[in-house]
Amino acid sequence: MPIYKQTIDNPDQRIAQDVETLCRTLSMIISLLIISPFTIVYYAYRTWQVTGYYGPLAILLYFILWTGINKIFISGVSRTIFRQDACEGTFRFLHTQIRTYNEPIAFYNGGSFEHHRSDSYFLKSLLPILYRRTVLEFLLGLSTNLFDYIGSILSYLLLALAILVFHLYDDVPSEDIVRIVSQTSFVTMYLIYRFNLLNDMTDKITLIAANTHRVQEFVEYMKEINTKWTEKRSSRQLQNDEVLVIQNLTYSTPTNRNHILMKNMNLILYKGQHLLITGESGVGKTSLFRILHYIWPINIHGSFSYNIEHSFLLPQRPYFTNQSLHDEFSYPNTQQLPTVHRQSEIEQLLNDWNLSHIFEYVESNVFVCPKYAWQDLLSPGELQRLSFLRLILRLSSNQPNVQLVFLDEMTSSVDIETEQRMYKYLLEQNVTLISIGHRETLRDYHQLELKISKQGRYVIETLRDNPLELTL
């Protein structure tokens, strides 16, 4: 299975901004590129009629020569724009980090550090690139303008050669020379003008070259990811009361094949069994969830099987879309229609789980969006409880019934009593639980414990045999 050969900076920028810039710039020049060959051929023929073959040949050689000169500057500018886009994306990401984590930064009193880091990156990384682009674009613009000005001189030079050197109009009466000069200058100057239009596209060509490089690099990067591996991982059919089957599962981190997180793991989890996953921070507990949910489709050997349509995962850091409470609890099922029954159900749940105070943020209406992000309005413990209500509503809905629930430190920010109440509710629903956690109290709610150690080692221990004996 292929691994990532390199990291791709700012993929969101490449999708949203670079592709848009590439398409917009192409649309600006495509009509000129289509029309130019026809007009150039026509006026080259007209020029040949009045100056002979040397006229259009001289103009073509002049264009090719100057295009070669411009290509030197175009290559430099396009490479600089490529680097500038990458640096600007990173610079924006630094500001996004500050905006997202402004409160922890304030608690750490890290304002001065963040200010210095941002200024340092701008002055040492971004500013030199902007300066280099300015200089190269000045030289490219100077070259382009010289082409235009010298081209106008070339048209009169061709006339002078036709009259004084090649004596093409010696037999023409002097009173007709003015008319011929006027007609000839128009034809030659318009031919040069058409070449000038192509030459003046150099600024757009630099943008196209830089953005094409970034978009192509991203497309090739995405093609390296094998999207068919999910079919191979779920080929085994579950039997009897099996809920999850893992066979000889080995995987490593996405960026380092040699960093083994799990080696030859075998596990069968039956309906009604509850598994607790423990281990030091960083050994790969959440990584197992990523593998099972097809988020890391690389560096994987072995197989696993479970019904993903009948599973549900609660992450440690809940995600909210800053929509109304109705939409938040329906996420990601956007087709859930608002009803009076649904509204009453949500209001009752919020009261039961001591979250009724959040009504003040939405004008006591579950269909009203908050003025600020939920992450900014609620504490981590409140967010985890709000996320837990999503699971409650899913368990009580008409959607495919949930048989397997993944809990990634879902109670890490709530008190022991709330944690006990959450697990008591889940155990009453007759679902299979797989929890990640560090609290000793979590052992009371599980029968099996998977201890993950470094270098891919693991041990499965039995905590209790009968789930009915759990202390609640």
Side-chain angles (χ1 to χ4, degrees), residues 86-103:
C87 290
E88 286 181 345
T90 303
F91 191 60
R92 284 193 296 269
F93 180 72
L94 291 177
H95 285 81
T96 301
Q97 277 188 316
I98 295 174
R99 185 179 63 185
T100 304
Y101 300 102
N102 57 83
E103 186 175 284

Side-chain angles (χ1 to χ4, degrees), residues 255-423:
T255 55
N256 186 357
R257 183 186 294 271
N258 297 321
H259 186 189
I260 303 297
L261 297 176
M262 180 60 66
K263 185 182 298 183
N264 297 326
M265 178 183 178
N266 291 278
L267 172 68
I268 298 179
L269 202 60
Y270 294 94
K271 183 178 180 180
Q273 285 187 319
H274 311 302
L275 175 68
L276 174 63
I277 303 176
T278 60
E280 297 178 1
S281 297
V283 298
K285 300 186 296 297
T286 301
S287 300
L288 177 59
F289 280 9
R290 296 189 181 108
I291 296 296
L292 295 178
H293 286 78
Y294 311 110
I295 297 178
W296 279 4
I298 50 177
N299 302 340
I300 303 170
H301 303 279
S303 64
F304 58 85
S305 180
Y306 73 99
N307 195 332
I308 193 169
E309 294 182 356
H310 295 273
S311 67
F312 196 92
L313 186 144
L314 288 182
Q316 180 182 4
R317 292 186 297 176
Y319 171 71
F320 291 94
T321 59
N322 303 330
Q323 299 298 312
S324 67
L325 288 171
H326 174 271
D327 293 338
E328 295 292 355
F329 289 135
S330 302
Y331 179 86
N333 181 19
T334 57
Q335 298 180 352
Q336 179 73 44
L337 297 177
T339 62
V340 176
H341 173 73
R342 184 73 169 181
Q343 178 179 0
S344 301
E345 190 177 17
I346 293 174
E347 292 174 350
Q348 185 62 44
L349 280 175
L350 292 173
N351 288 322
D352 293 343
W353 290 88
N354 299 323
L355 290 171
S356 58
H357 58 277
I358 69 175
F359 277 125
E360 62 186 67
Y361 303 126
V362 292
E363 302 175 4
S364 300
N365 191 332
V366 298
F367 303 111
V368 173
C369 298
K371 295 182 179 180
Y372 305 98
W374 287 113
Q375 280 81 357
D376 297 333
L377 296 172
L378 305 179
S379 68
E382 290 173 323
L383 291 172
Q384 285 190 340
R385 279 185 286 161
L386 206 62
S387 177
F388 183 73
L389 297 189
R390 278 179 178 166
L391 175 56
I392 294 179
L393 289 171
R394 171 63 188 278
L395 291 171
S396 62
S397 68
N398 295 324
Q399 300 180 46
N401 62 310
V402 177
Q403 299 174 354
L404 178 60
V405 178
F406 296 89
L407 307 170
D408 186 2
E409 299 192 49
M410 182 267 300
T411 60
S412 59
S413 297
V414 301
D415 55 83
I416 300 297
E417 291 74 15
T418 302
E419 174 190 278
Q420 185 182 48
R421 186 182 176 193
M422 288 179 172
Y423 273 96

Side-chain angles (χ1 to χ4, degrees), residues 91 116 125 149 239 241 285 326 378 436:
F91 191 60
H116 177 266
S125 299
Y149 293 136
Q239 301 176 1
D241 291 334
K285 300 186 296 297
H326 174 271
L378 305 179
I436 294 176

Side-chain angles (χ1 to χ4, degrees), residues 72-238:
I72 300 174
F73 299 114
I74 291 175
S75 299
V77 173
S78 62
R79 287 194 300 267
T80 304
I81 293 176
F82 178 87
R83 293 176 55 197
Q84 178 186 341
D85 289 342
C87 290
E88 286 181 345
T90 303
F91 191 60
R92 284 193 296 269
F93 180 72
L94 291 177
H95 285 81
T96 301
Q97 277 188 316
I98 295 174
R99 185 179 63 185
T100 304
Y101 300 102
N102 57 83
E103 186 175 284
I105 292 173
F107 284 143
Y108 280 117
N109 200 17
S112 299
F113 172 82
E114 297 297 337
H115 185 274
H116 177 266
R117 183 175 68 148
S118 300
D119 286 354
S120 178
Y121 185 85
F122 177 79
L123 294 174
K124 294 181 180 180
S125 299
L126 188 54
L127 188 60
I129 294 177
L130 294 174
Y131 175 78
R132 175 181 173 83
R133 178 178 177 177
T134 301
V135 173
L136 289 176
E137 286 187 337
F138 169 77
L139 295 176
L140 178 61
L142 180 64
S143 175
T144 302
N145 289 326
L146 283 176
F147 178 87
D148 295 343
Y149 293 136
I150 296 176
S152 61
I153 298 174
L154 179 63
S155 64
Y156 292 105
L157 179 62
L158 292 175
L159 285 173
L161 291 174
I163 296 174
L164 302 177
V165 177
F166 296 100
H167 305 285
L168 296 179
Y169 302 104
D170 289 348
D171 298 333
V172 178
S174 57
E175 58 270 14
D176 294 334
I177 291 293
V178 175
R179 178 180 57 81
I180 294 174
V181 168
S182 175
Q183 292 177 349
T184 304
S185 62
F186 170 77
V187 171
T188 56
M189 289 187 66
Y190 194 80
L191 178 60
I192 294 174
Y193 168 73
R194 299 307 302 185
F195 279 113
N196 285 347
L197 292 179
L198 296 178
N199 186 70
D200 292 343
M201 291 191 304
T202 52
D203 58 333
K204 298 179 178 63
I205 292 175
T206 56
L207 287 175
I208 292 174
N211 287 283
T212 299
H213 186 190
R214 287 178 61 80
V215 172
Q216 180 184 11
E217 189 179 56
F218 178 72
V219 171
E220 292 176 351
Y221 178 86
M222 294 299 295
K223 286 183 178 180
E224 292 181 354
I225 300 178
N226 185 356
T227 58
K228 296 182 179 180
W229 74 281
T230 56
E231 301 174 2
K232 304 176 182 178
R233 302 302 164 189
S234 303
S235 58
R236 184 188 184 280
Q237 295 294 327
L238 297 175

